[in-house]
Amino acid sequence: VKPEITVKGPNGEDLPVTVKDNGDGTYSLGFTPTTPGKHNANVKVDGQDVSPNPLVVDVKPNSSAANTTAEG
């Protein structure tokens, strides 16, 4: 079952999210922050929240996306 994910930026704006099926029962999710601050990612599978929900990603000023990963 493909996960549903929404990401809201620190100002409440919705950010585009990519979802990739890894072909092994797992998925990779990605988004590109546009401003520093706390971003809330809400993940659901089959309509059920995935813990922790929301996942809070605190983007620091001058962060480099090339050097940043998160797993969960």
Side-chain angles (χ1 to χ4, degrees), residues 7-11 13-17 29-40 57-66 68-70:
V7 176
K8 292 209 179 274
N11 299 318
E13 72 277 17
D14 289 320
L15 297 175
V17 178
L29 310 168
F31 73 97
T32 302
T34 55
T35 57
K38 293 186 179 182
H39 293 65
N40 292 314
V57 179
D58 192 6
V59 176
K60 302 294 183 190
N62 302 317
S63 296
S64 169
T68 306
T69 61

Side-chain angles (χ1 to χ4, degrees), residues 7-53:
V7 176
K8 292 209 179 274
N11 299 318
E13 72 277 17
D14 289 320
L15 297 175
V17 178
T18 59
V19 179
K20 178 187 170 204
D21 185 343
N22 296 321
D24 62 0
T26 66
Y27 291 85
S28 296
L29 310 168
F31 73 97
T32 302
T34 55
T35 57
K38 293 186 179 182
H39 293 65
N40 292 314
N42 289 290
V43 181
K44 291 187 178 198
V45 174
D46 225 11
Q48 300 294 315
D49 287 338
V50 174
S51 183
N53 209 13

